[in-house]
C-alpha cells in the first residue's frame, strides 16, 4: 500500500508539470538592467522589458519592449517593487547585461549586484558594464545594427575581442575578481551619447574595495588586456620614418607569460608578450625589405611595451592589482607570500614590472619570396 501511494505521488508530480511553471502570457522578460542612486540615496532600478511575441505582425516588429523603473532601499526592495509598475512577474532568463551608473558604482558595486549574483535563474553569463553618468541612459540608447538594443550591446561585448579598446566582463568574471581580499577588479566603460541616442564603449574603470575608484583610457585598457593575455585581435599603429606616415599592424593572436622573480629579497614581475600578426596597410608606400620588416617589429614592440607600462603605472598609483600579479606570487613563493599578503597593496605600488615584447610579423608567400625568405 505504501509503495502504491509513493508511485501515485510520483506520477502526480511528473504529470502535473513543474511546480513553479509560469505561463508566458503571465510574465515579462527582462533583457537589460540599469542601477542608479537617486538624490535620497535610494536605488533606482531601470529595466528593459520584452513581452513574448504573439506571432502577429502589423507591418512592424512583433516583439514589443518597454523601459520601466522602480526605487527601493535595497536592490531586492526595488526589484520587488517593479511588479507594481509592470503588473507582471519578471523573468531574468534572457538578461543580456547589467549596467551600473557612476554614483552607484562609487558607493558600492558588490551590494547592488549581490541580488543578481545569487539569483538561480541567472548563469553568470550576462555582461556587467560601468556607465559614465546614469545607467538608465544606456538603456535608452537605440541599437543601430540590431533592433533590440540589449542584443546589440551583447554583440559589442563579443566583438570587443577584435578591437582591444575595453575589457568585456561577465558577471561570473566579476564575482571571481571580487573574491580576492582587496576586492580589486575592473569593468568596461560605456559612454552614452545623448544627442545620437547611441553609446560608445571604451576604456575601463578600476574597482577597489568593491567600489569604482578611477578610470583608465583606451590605451591603458589595452595595456591591461596585453598583460592579462586577453588580446585576441587588434590593430597597432606604428609611425614610419617621415612624420605623418603610419603602418597599421593587424595582430591576430598574442600570448602572455607572467613570472615573479625574487632576488636578494627583492621581488619583480617579468611580463613577456608574444604577439603575432600581419602588415595591414601603409598610408605611404615604402620599400619593403628585410630591414624594414624587422624595424616594424621593433616599433610594434615599443608601442605594446609603452601601453603595458601606462596601465601598470595607473594601477600602481591606485594600489590596485588589477592584473592578478598576487596570484602568481602566491603560487611561486607560498611561504614568502604569507608575510606579504596583509600589505600587498603597498608592495604592489612599489613593484618593479619588467616588460619584454617579442612580436612576430608573418610573411605572406609573395612578400616572403621578394625578401628572399622562401
Amino acid at each position: 500500500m505504501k509503495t502504491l501511494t509513493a508511485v501515485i505521488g510520483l506520477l502526480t508530480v511528473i504529470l502535473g508539470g513543474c511546480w513553479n511553471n509560469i505561463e508566458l502570457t503571465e510574465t515579462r522578460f527582462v533583457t537589460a538592467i540599469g542601477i542608479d542612486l537617486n538624490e535620497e540615496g535610494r536605488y533606482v532600478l531601470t529595466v528593459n522589458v520584452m513581452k513574448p511575441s504573439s506571432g502577429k505582425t502589423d507591418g512592424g516588429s512583433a516583439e514589443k519592449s518597454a523601459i520601466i523603473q522602480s526605487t527601493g532601499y535595497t536592490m531586492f526592495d526595488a526589484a520587488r517593487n517593479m511588479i507594481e509598475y509592470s503588473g507582471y512577474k519578471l523573468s531574468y532568463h534572457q538578461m543580456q547585461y547589467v549596467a551600473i551608473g557612476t554614483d552607484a558604482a562609487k558607493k558600492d558595486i558588490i551590494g547592488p549586484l549581490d541580488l543578481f549574483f545569487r539569483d538561480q535563474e541567472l548563469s553568470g553569463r550576462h555582461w556587467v558594464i560601468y556607465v559614465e553618468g546614469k545607467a538608465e541612459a544606456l538603456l535608452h540608447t537605440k541599437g543601430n545594427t540590431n533592433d533590440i538594443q540589449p542584443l546589440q550591446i551583447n554583440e559589442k561585448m563579443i566583438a570587443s575581442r577584435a578591437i582591444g579598446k575595453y575589457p568585456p566582463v561577465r558577471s561570473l568574471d566579476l564575482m571571481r575578481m571580487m573574491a580576492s581580499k582587496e576586492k580589486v577588479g575592473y569593468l568596461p566603460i560605456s559612454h552614452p551619447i545623448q544627442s545620437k541616442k547611441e553609446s560608445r564603449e571604451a576604456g575601463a574603470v578600476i574597482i577597489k574595495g568593491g567600489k569604482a575608484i578611477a578610470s583608465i583610457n583606451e590605451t591603458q585598457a589595452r595595456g591591461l588586456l596585453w598583460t592579462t593575455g586577453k588580446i585576441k585581435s587588434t590593430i597597432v599603429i606604428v609611425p614610419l620614418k617621415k612624420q605623418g606616415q603610419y603602418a597599421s599592424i593587424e595582430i591576430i593572436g598574442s600570448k602572455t607569460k607572467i613570472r615573479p622573480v625574487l632576488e636578494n629579497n627583492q621581488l619583480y614581475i617579468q611580463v613577456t608578450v608574444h604577439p603575432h600578426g600581419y602588415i595591414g596597410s601603409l598610408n605611404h608606400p615604402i620599400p619593403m625589405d628585410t630591414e624594414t620588416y624587422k624595424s616594424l617589429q621593433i616599433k610594434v614592440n615599443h608601442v605594446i611595451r609603452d601601453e603595458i607600462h601606462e596601465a601598470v603605472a595607473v594601477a600602481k598609483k591606485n594600489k590596485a592589482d588589477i592584473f592578478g600579479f598576487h596570484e602568481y606570487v602566491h603560487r611561486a613563493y607560498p611561504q614568502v607570500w604569507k608575510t606579504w599578503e596583509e600589505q600587498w597593496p603597498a608592495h604592489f605600488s612599489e613593484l618593479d614590472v619588467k616588460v619584454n615584447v617579442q612580436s612576430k610579423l608573418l610573411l605572406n608567400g609573395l612578400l616572403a619570396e621578394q625578401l628572399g625568405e622562401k
Side-chain angles (χ1 to χ4, degrees):
M1 187 67 179
K2 291 183 178 179
T3 302
L4 179 61
T5 303
V7 170
I8 293 174
L10 180 61
L11 289 175
T12 301
V13 173
I14 295 175
L15 298 178
C18 297
W19 66 272
N20 61 345
N21 252 7
I22 301 174
E23 294 294 332
L24 290 179
T25 55
E26 297 176 0
T27 190
R28 293 295 181 265
F29 297 96
V30 174
T31 53
I33 289 176
I35 300 172
D36 292 301
L37 286 179
N38 63 14
E39 295 178 354
E40 299 174 348
R42 297 185 186 181
Y43 286 109
V44 178
L45 179 64
T46 307
V47 299
N48 186 311
V49 180
M50 182 172 293
K51 69 178 183 179
S53 170
S54 64
K56 299 178 180 179
T57 59
D58 53 358
S61 173
E63 295 177 303
K64 303 294 182 180
S65 64
I67 294 178
I68 55 179
Q69 283 186 332
S70 68
T71 60
Y73 290 97
T74 66
M75 281 304 302
F76 198 5
D77 184 30
R80 186 57 60 88
N81 291 339
M82 188 65 73
I83 299 176
E84 177 183 351
Y85 297 96
S86 67
Y88 293 91
K89 163 76 174 178
L90 298 182
S91 171
Y92 298 91
H93 285 290
Q94 305 300 322
M95 189 167 67
Q96 301 298 307
Y97 70 85
V98 174
I100 184 164
T102 299
D103 292 339
K106 287 184 175 180
K107 178 183 178 182
D108 180 25
I109 287 179
I110 301 176
L113 291 180
D114 181 72
L115 172 63
F116 306 106
F117 287 160
R118 296 176 183 274
D119 197 316
Q120 295 180 357
E121 291 185 8
L122 304 178
S123 62
R125 299 288 296 170
H126 55 277
W127 307 101
V128 184
I129 304 170
Y130 171 89
V131 179
E132 190 178 59
K134 294 291 185 181
E136 68 171 286
L138 180 59
L139 275 72
H140 282 286
T141 62
K142 297 181 179 180
N144 49 19
T145 61
N146 194 314
D147 291 337
I148 304 175
Q149 187 265 6
L151 293 182
Q152 174 167 316
I153 293 295
N154 177 60
E155 292 164 358
K156 281 186 176 183
M157 291 294 116
I158 295 174
S160 68
R161 298 169 184 173
I163 303 173
K165 292 185 177 181
Y166 56 91
V169 176
R170 294 189 186 272
S171 177
L172 189 58
D173 299 326
L174 182 61
M175 290 171 63
R176 289 169 178 163
M177 294 180 199
M178 295 300 101
S180 66
K181 184 177 181 180
E182 290 80 21
K183 294 180 173 56
V184 170
Y186 50 84
L187 289 174
I189 296 180
S190 178
H191 309 266
I193 305 172
Q194 294 294 336
S195 60
K196 296 182 180 180
K197 294 294 183 180
E198 298 174 356
S199 68
R200 179 175 182 269
E201 285 65 46
V205 65
I206 296 176
I207 303 169
K208 183 180 178 182
K211 302 177 182 179
I213 62 167
S215 60
I216 59 178
N217 60 32
E218 293 178 31
T219 300
Q220 296 158 349
R222 191 160 70 168
L224 166 65
L225 293 171
W226 289 120
T227 308
T228 53
K230 295 180 180 178
I231 289 287
K232 302 298 182 183
S233 175
T234 189
I235 301 296
V236 176
I237 307 298
V238 299
L240 299 177
K241 290 183 179 181
K242 294 185 179 181
Q243 186 176 2
Q245 297 177 4
Y246 299 93
S248 298
I249 309 300
E250 181 183 7
I251 303 298
I252 59 173
S254 180
K255 293 183 179 180
T256 301
K257 181 179 180 181
I258 297 176
R259 184 171 66 94
V261 180
L262 184 62
E263 292 181 351
N264 300 321
N265 205 34
Q266 294 294 316
L267 176 72
Y268 71 86
I269 300 292
Q270 178 66 60
V271 177
T272 304
V273 183
H274 296 274
H276 60 277
Y278 301 91
I279 297 176
S281 66
L282 303 169
N283 73 343
H284 184 81
I286 58 174
M288 189 55 63
D289 53 23
T290 302
E291 183 180 348
T292 303
Y293 222 72
K294 290 181 178 178
S295 174
L296 288 176
Q297 287 188 152
I298 293 173
K299 290 180 179 180
V300 170
N301 294 344
H302 289 170
V303 170
I304 296 175
R305 183 191 61 196
D306 291 346
E307 290 180 350
I308 293 175
H309 280 311
E310 282 193 43
V312 170
V314 70
K316 288 170 65 175
K317 180 181 179 181
N318 289 279
K319 297 183 178 181
D321 181 11
I322 56 178
F323 312 99
F325 288 154
H326 64 281
E327 297 178 3
Y328 294 91
V329 176
H330 188 189
R331 288 197 295 266
Y333 305 103
Q335 295 303 318
V336 178
W337 172 251
K338 292 180 181 179
T339 64
W340 289 346
E341 183 177 7
E342 291 298 324
Q343 299 299 323
W344 178 247
H347 283 294
F348 172 74
S349 67
E350 302 294 332
L351 190 63
D352 184 15
V353 179
K354 301 179 186 296
V355 180
N356 180 23
V357 182
Q358 301 175 6
S359 64
K360 181 178 181 181
L361 299 187
L362 306 176
L363 301 175
N364 59 38
L366 179 60
L367 186 56
E369 186 175 359
Q370 292 173 345
L371 300 182
E373 299 287 343
K374 277 184 86 175

